[in-house]
Amino acid sequence: MKNINYIGEHLLIGNIGHAFIVLSLVAALVSVVSYYFYSKEQLTSDWKKIANYSFTIHSISVIGIAATLFFMLFNHYYEYSYVWQHSNNEMPLEYIMSCFWEGQEGSFLLWSFWNVVLGNILRKTIDAKWEAPTMAIFALVQVFLASMLLGIYFGDYKLGSNPFILLRENPQFADMPFVQMENYLEKLDGRGLNPLLMNYWMTIHPPTLFLGFSSTLIPFVYAIAGLWKRDFTTWQKPALTWTFFSIMILGTGILMGGAWAYEALSFGGFWAWDPVENSSLVPWLVMVGAGHVMIINKNKGGSLFMTHLLAIASFLLVLYSTFLTRSGILGKNSVHAFTDLGMQGQLVIYVLTFILICVILLIHDKLIRISYIIVSLLMLFFGITFGHKVALLLGWMLISLVLTIYSYMKFFPKEEEEESLYSREFWMFVGSLVFLLSALVITYFTSIPVMNKLFQGWLYESEKAGIKVADYNMWQTPFAIIALLLVAITQYFKYKKTDPKQFLKHITLSGILAVVFGASAVIPLYFLKDYSSSSTTEKWNLISYALLFISALFAVFCNLGYWMRILKGNVRHAGASIAHIGFALILLGALVSTSKKQTISQNTSQKNVASLGDNFSAKKSLVLTKGDTLPMGNYLVTYTGKERKGIDVFFHMDYFKKDKDGKLVKAFHLSPMVQDNPRMGQASNPDTKHFIGSDIYTHITYADLSDNKEVKADAYKEPTNFVGHMRDTIFADNAIILIDSITTNLTEEQYSQNDSLLVVTAVLKATDINGNIYRAAPKYILKNNMVLPDEFELNELGLKFIFWKINPNEGSIEIQMSEKVNNTKEFVVLEAYMFPFINVLWLGCLVMIIGTIIAIIERRRVNKLKAQ
């Protein structure tokens, strides 16, 4: 093969990155082994030194990998596949960070980086008793994350995906002609960032979310250390603060994702029960449950198995969400999911390894433990060698479940006495179970693509479809109502036992206020219309909305009352109450803004919007011609024109209201944007007007993005070539053209026998925006095997067609279409929604975060006082 001396490649920086990856993996492995032996020989400090030094080297290596990748992105080293795929020359500087974690390799690296940060904080602050077992598991997690970046082949199996692979070495591009040229970098530009990620939220949402994922590791390693040391209680004291830190950070990351979806996506909302949204919400729900059972253990003792279960499950669910989003198994079920980079098997092993470790440490009997390990390894071997992976996996999971239940029943400490019905710990435990059950329901529905892959064709034939947003809402509303009621009343109970009369006295006023204010709100919101023809489901939804509304108010009033009356307004001790108020406000804001979301963009023009396609409806799509003023909801809106800034095209809209004299007064201005990315396609970005009581949310669904310049009256734009079959559709700016039929004057046999003129006519049916139908008949003329171009002008629509090619093998034809410049008045199609009281949701987010921070600070202060 010809050796090519490539010009301009920066190979040294890539080799440095490779070296850092290998060093990080080796150092993490040494750290795991050293911490393990250190845990066996507490009196020997040599293993501790080796373990700490190797973890430090690993930390430096991870930082080195990140710094190297950032350096390559900032300098646009497109010879590297990762840089070429995720950035380009036009990329604004503020989005370079988004390029870093857009791909799988970058997101794994971000996760590993946060683990390094938290791991070093942990090992500097942890008690010596817990250092070895916690850090051994911590370093093992880092081994797996480092392996995700290796990109090394073992036979046909690829271990990890390397961010420092050269573009010309990437199997997808290695055979492309341009990488065979020695100077291919001279004019090479990157593919660029996904348009949906070019938003300021995406510079802060992913790192916050991944910090949240990393934070779940600390309660996990503490729980594993508790099993390791057979000390099921004392680990919970240092883990408690970390648990609520995880609740705060992961919750903040999830809420940031909702804000990004609301501001950058065009589905018209902040939460769509997308599988990736769900897979971040579920670990948070479980972690909330873990934090509250830890509080029970701290104040009263007990709930030992549940604290271990929830702390461990939260991290395992993070691993499962990693598998869902990065294995490619979700396919088109999620707008967030990554494509498969061949790491599906590696991710499965990652999840199963930590399940294996948990079960091994839970088993007390040495013979059973060794037998379980041998059986697990044999099942893995047979699965890899002989197949039947699904059956073996299910069998292994069943064995693991049976051994977990057996170990719990036989060896795990149990509570000696039952909790009182009128005790705080009883209702906190019930609340944790509610969160766990909610998480399990969400996990089940989210895992339908996984179940299809495992069981379709085995347990059932047809593919199971995922459920809709409305179904998710219906399933989760009862859990939300119960959670709000528990959030309202639980703080009024005392540990061990509470006087029922005193308890009822405390909550009565809040209950009355909730019912009075709730009823006065829900009746006009939900019950003043005639619902006699509504379905049973719709009627149940209305009842559940009312119950949820009143329950949210009850939670707000109860926690406010507890703060003011019981805590005497003391902010320092009110962290939990404030966080609970925030939680209730989030659910209240989500309920009202979603259930009373109003479409205000019904088409009030005379244009037939349905002619633009099946996705356009007069019930939700408003056609706005430039300069026209049309009613939209409580406003009148005028489209004033468009403005291009780089690849972003802004569409300027002025909104008016009438004053008391009937004159139009400008109320506000919005500029929804469409990103016209030549490599990644077009993406609509909404623009929203925020009021105290509601939001007006708008986005463009159809527009001409071309630049309008002064040209001759009869001038045409550059022709566009269309390849199509019978009944295919061609889109013009002012019409939709259907290839209705194709006729010919001769058969193929007649033409071959005579030197005749062959005329093939494409009969086109053009429908304009008003629904008027026009016909065009461009001809393909062939004489003496020579094509004679023939133009057909459809003057009514300002269109010109040239039928110039027939592809008999594919059964397709090719038609060039040209459109007259300034053929029609410029117009756009707009969708707009009104979200009432959505600011209650955003206020709740801030209040919950502030309350959690106050609780964490107070808990640290108390722990320091006790340590003195």
Side-chain angles (χ1 to χ4, degrees):
M1 185 175 176
K2 178 184 176 182
N3 290 324
I4 303 174
N5 294 319
Y6 290 100
I7 300 171
E9 290 187 333
H10 304 82
L11 301 182
L12 177 61
I13 192 70
N15 291 331
I16 292 173
H18 281 293
F20 275 133
I21 289 175
V22 174
L23 184 59
S24 73
L25 177 64
V26 173
L29 276 170
V30 172
S31 185
V32 171
V33 174
S34 302
Y35 276 121
Y36 174 78
F37 285 112
Y38 171 42
S39 72
K40 297 294 183 182
E41 303 175 22
Q42 290 284 358
L43 299 178
T44 305
S45 61
D46 290 343
W47 283 115
K48 178 180 179 180
K49 289 180 180 178
I50 296 172
N52 286 334
Y53 283 140
S54 58
F55 195 84
T56 300
I57 293 171
H58 167 74
S59 303
I60 294 170
S61 300
V62 170
I63 294 171
I65 299 169
T68 303
L69 188 56
F70 264 124
F71 181 82
M72 289 162 48
L73 286 165
F74 275 114
N75 289 281
H76 302 299
Y77 288 171
Y78 296 130
E79 59 266 39
Y80 292 96
S81 179
Y82 192 86
V83 179
W84 177 82
Q85 289 184 71
H86 302 291
S87 69
N88 60 8
N89 292 332
E90 297 177 354
M91 182 67 58
L93 187 62
E94 63 265 27
Y95 296 134
I96 291 294
M97 295 180 70
S98 298
C99 299
F100 179 91
W101 44 70
E102 184 194 18
Q104 290 215 41
E105 301 90 338
S107 62
F108 278 123
L109 180 54
L110 178 63
W111 190 1
S112 183
F113 170 79
W114 282 128
N115 280 355
V116 160
V117 172
L118 296 181
N120 280 285
I121 295 173
L122 180 65
R123 71 188 180 100
K124 294 295 183 183
T125 58
I126 198 170
D127 187 270
K129 174 183 177 180
W130 300 110
E131 181 181 6
T134 56
M135 291 307 299
I137 301 298
F138 214 109
L140 183 59
V141 172
Q142 290 301 90
V143 169
F144 276 95
L145 288 177
S147 72
M148 296 293 178
L149 301 177
L150 271 180
I152 295 175
Y153 281 90
F154 293 93
D156 294 330
Y157 183 76
K158 181 184 178 186
L159 185 67
S161 181
N162 196 308
F164 301 110
I165 186 174
L166 290 166
L167 182 62
R168 55 184 170 84
E169 293 177 347
N170 188 320
Q172 289 182 300
F173 309 106
D175 296 327
M176 298 294 286
F178 75 94
V179 298
Q180 308 303 319
M181 298 184 292
E182 61 182 14
N183 62 340
Y184 75 99
L185 289 174
E186 283 187 5
K187 297 181 180 179
L188 186 64
D189 192 6
R191 192 176 66 171
L193 189 66
N194 186 324
L196 295 176
L197 303 183
M198 295 182 68
N199 180 281
Y200 66 91
W201 279 112
M202 292 311 293
T203 63
I204 56 177
H205 160 55
T208 305
L209 188 67
F210 274 91
L211 177 56
F213 288 157
S214 294
S215 67
T216 64
L217 177 56
I218 297 182
F220 172 77
V221 297
Y222 267 117
I224 294 295
L227 296 176
W228 189 328
K229 292 286 188 180
R230 301 287 185 254
D231 181 349
F232 304 112
T233 304
T234 56
W235 67 268
Q236 296 187 41
K237 180 180 177 181
L240 184 58
T241 302
W242 282 108
T243 301
F244 277 91
F245 172 78
S246 179
I247 292 169
M248 180 195 69
I249 293 296
L250 184 54
T252 302
I254 294 168
L255 295 171
M256 283 182 174
W260 165 69
Y262 183 65
E263 188 163 306
L265 301 183
S266 57
F267 67 83
F270 48 84
W271 194 264
W273 294 107
D274 182 272
V276 176
E277 295 173 342
N278 296 348
S279 61
S280 59
L281 176 64
V282 165
W284 182 83
L285 290 171
V286 176
M287 187 60 74
V288 170
H292 285 79
V293 290
M294 285 183 192
I295 293 174
I296 296 174
N297 182 267
K298 170 180 172 290
N299 289 282
K300 189 241 175 207
S303 302
L304 295 178
F305 183 76
M306 185 61 86
T307 53
H308 284 79
L309 175 66
L310 296 181
I312 290 170
S314 183
F315 178 71
L316 292 180
L317 286 165
V318 168
L319 299 187
Y320 181 62
S321 74
T322 303
F323 165 74
L324 280 178
T325 57
R326 288 162 175 76
S327 64
I329 202 165
L330 290 179
K332 297 180 180 180
N333 290 280
S334 172
V335 298
H336 301 75
F338 293 89
T339 55
D340 183 16
L341 293 183
M343 294 191 288
Q344 194 171 107
Q346 192 175 347
L347 289 165
V348 170
I349 295 296
Y350 188 6
V351 177
L352 298 183
T353 297
F354 286 96
I355 296 176
L356 177 72
I357 290 170
C358 294
V359 178
I360 289 171
L361 293 175
L362 193 60
I363 300 171
H364 284 230
D365 188 287
K366 187 175 182 180
L367 178 61
I368 296 176
R369 189 188 311 133
I370 293 172
S371 301
Y372 174 67
I373 294 172
I374 293 172
V375 169
S376 298
L377 293 176
L378 285 173
M379 293 178 82
L380 176 64
F381 171 77
F382 284 124
I384 294 173
T385 307
F386 302 109
H388 306 291
K389 295 184 179 70
V390 174
L392 288 168
L393 175 62
L394 292 175
W396 179 82
M397 292 181 70
L398 180 61
I399 293 170
S400 301
L401 179 62
V402 170
L403 288 174
T404 299
I405 296 172
Y406 169 78
S407 300
Y408 165 68
M409 299 296 294
K410 190 170 177 92
F411 302 111
F412 220 85
K414 314 292 190 306
E415 288 77 18
E416 295 181 0
E417 59 181 86
E418 295 289 332
E419 291 93 348
S420 167
L421 182 64
Y422 291 98
S423 65
R424 181 180 292 189
E425 60 269 23
F426 176 82
W427 292 106
M428 287 178 69
F429 187 83
V430 170
S432 297
L433 284 179
V434 169
F435 275 84
L436 177 60
L437 288 172
S438 171
L440 290 175
V441 171
I442 296 171
T443 302
Y444 170 77
F445 288 127
T446 305
S447 301
I448 287 175
V450 180
M451 291 187 289
N452 285 332
K453 183 157 188 177
L454 290 175
F455 304 129
Q456 188 182 355
W458 184 33
L459 294 183
Y460 51 83
E461 291 299 324
S462 59
E463 182 177 298
K464 289 183 178 292
I467 68 170
K468 298 177 181 178
V469 172
D471 297 320
Y472 270 111
N473 292 337
M474 185 178 67
W475 275 93
Q476 289 301 308
T477 298
F479 289 113
I481 293 170
I482 297 170
L484 286 168
L485 293 175
L486 293 173
V487 160
I489 66 173
T490 301
Q491 287 188 102
Y492 287 100
F493 287 105
K494 297 178 181 178
Y495 286 103
K496 296 188 177 179
K497 195 162 186 179
T498 307
D499 180 6
K501 292 181 180 179
Q502 192 69 21
F503 165 73
L504 291 173
K505 179 182 176 181
H506 283 312
I507 69 167
T508 299
L509 177 61
S510 297
I512 293 172
L513 291 174
V515 171
V516 171
F517 283 102
S520 63
V522 298
I523 289 173
L525 280 174
Y526 302 117
F527 294 107
L528 291 184
K529 294 182 181 179
D530 181 15
Y531 294 103
S532 57
S533 60
S534 300
S535 66
T536 303
T537 301
E538 291 172 332
K539 291 175 181 178
W540 159 246
N541 286 339
L542 294 175
I543 295 171
S544 65
Y545 294 161
L547 292 174
L548 183 59
F549 192 103
I550 293 171
S551 300
L553 287 182
F554 185 46
V556 171
F557 289 135
C558 278
N559 281 277
L560 195 59
Y562 188 85
W563 179 13
M564 294 295 111
R565 289 185 285 134
I566 307 299
L567 299 178
K568 308 299 182 184
N570 189 318
V571 176
R572 179 189 290 177
H573 298 118
S577 296
I578 295 171
H580 292 162
I581 291 171
F583 177 72
L585 291 175
I586 289 173
L587 293 183
L588 183 63
L591 168 66
V592 178
S593 62
T594 303
S595 65
K596 300 305 293 182
K597 171 184 170 183
Q598 181 183 351
T599 303
I600 60 174
S601 54
Q602 292 88 354
N603 190 22
T604 54
S605 73
Q606 300 301 312
K607 305 291 192 298
N608 180 16
V609 68
S611 65
L612 293 174
D614 294 337
N615 294 327
F616 298 91
S617 167
K619 294 181 179 180
K620 66 175 183 177
S621 303
L622 173 63
V623 180
L624 275 172
T625 303
K626 184 177 178 180
D628 286 353
T629 301
L630 296 175
M632 191 180 80
N634 296 326
Y635 300 92
L636 290 106
V637 59
T638 299
Y639 169 46
T640 61
K642 63 189 176 188
E643 178 185 10
R644 178 178 285 272
K645 296 180 179 179
I647 61 173
D648 298 333
V649 182
F650 294 87
F651 296 87
H652 299 298
M653 313 279 178
D654 288 333
Y655 290 78
F656 300 89
K657 293 197 83 169
K658 291 183 179 181
D659 62 14
K660 59 182 180 180
D661 298 323
K663 295 181 180 179
L664 292 183
V665 178
K666 185 175 177 180
F668 57 90
H669 176 88
L670 289 176
S671 297
M673 179 263 285
V674 175
Q675 190 178 114
D676 187 20
N677 192 309
R679 294 180 179 86
M680 304 294 289
Q682 297 173 2
S684 177
N685 277 30
D687 197 11
T688 305
K689 179 62 179 178
H690 303 284
F691 297 101
I692 294 177
S694 64
D695 278 3
I696 303 296
Y697 172 101
T698 66
H699 71 101
I700 299 294
T701 58
Y702 181 93
D704 177 15
L705 303 184
S706 61
D707 295 322
N708 294 328
K709 298 178 181 178
E710 290 188 10
V711 292
K712 295 179 181 179
D714 295 328
Y716 283 90
K717 299 178 184 178
E718 286 294 319
T720 305
N721 190 61
F722 295 93
V723 181
H725 303 76
M726 285 275 292
R727 312 306 295 176
D728 279 355
T729 302
I730 302 170
F731 290 93
D733 285 345
N734 61 342
I736 295 177
I737 300 98
L738 177 72
I739 303 176
D740 195 36
S741 61
I742 298 175
T743 63
T744 178
N745 67 324
L746 296 174
T747 65
E748 184 177 353
E749 184 180 356
Q750 288 174 330
Y751 176 71
S752 60
Q753 292 176 352
N754 302 291
D755 186 14
S756 304
L757 186 72
L758 175 66
V759 180
V760 181
T761 304
V763 179
L764 307 180
K765 177 183 173 183
T767 307
D768 70 9
I769 199 167
N770 296 310
N772 299 318
I773 297 175
Y774 304 88
R775 300 283 177 176
K779 292 178 172 52
Y780 174 85
I781 301 173
L782 188 65
K783 184 174 183 180
N784 298 327
N785 291 322
M786 182 179 295
V787 177
L788 304 177
D790 180 65
E791 294 183 350
F792 185 97
E793 291 196 49
L794 189 59
N795 294 318
E796 294 90 342
L797 295 176
L799 300 175
K800 181 168 63 177
F801 301 95
I802 299 177
F803 180 8
W804 70 281
K805 190 175 182 182
I806 297 175
N807 303 309
N809 293 331
E810 290 81 18
S812 63
I813 62 173
E814 297 189 32
I815 296 175
Q816 286 188 348
M817 183 183 73
S818 303
E819 302 180 63
K820 275 188 178 179
V821 180
N822 298 325
N823 187 31
T824 58
K825 291 189 71 174
E826 182 184 333
F827 73 94
V828 297
V829 179
L830 179 76
E831 287 187 12
Y833 305 96
M834 191 269 289
F835 288 95
F837 300 105
I838 195 170
N839 287 328
V840 174
L841 184 150
W842 306 126
L843 175 64
C845 296
L846 292 175
V847 172
M848 187 173 74
I849 293 168
I850 291 169
T852 309
I853 292 172
I854 292 171
I856 292 171
I857 293 172
E858 175 61 11
R859 199 165 300 283
R860 285 184 57 83
R861 186 187 70 84
V862 171
N863 288 342
K864 286 181 180 179
L865 288 175
K866 289 181 178 180
Q868 292 176 357

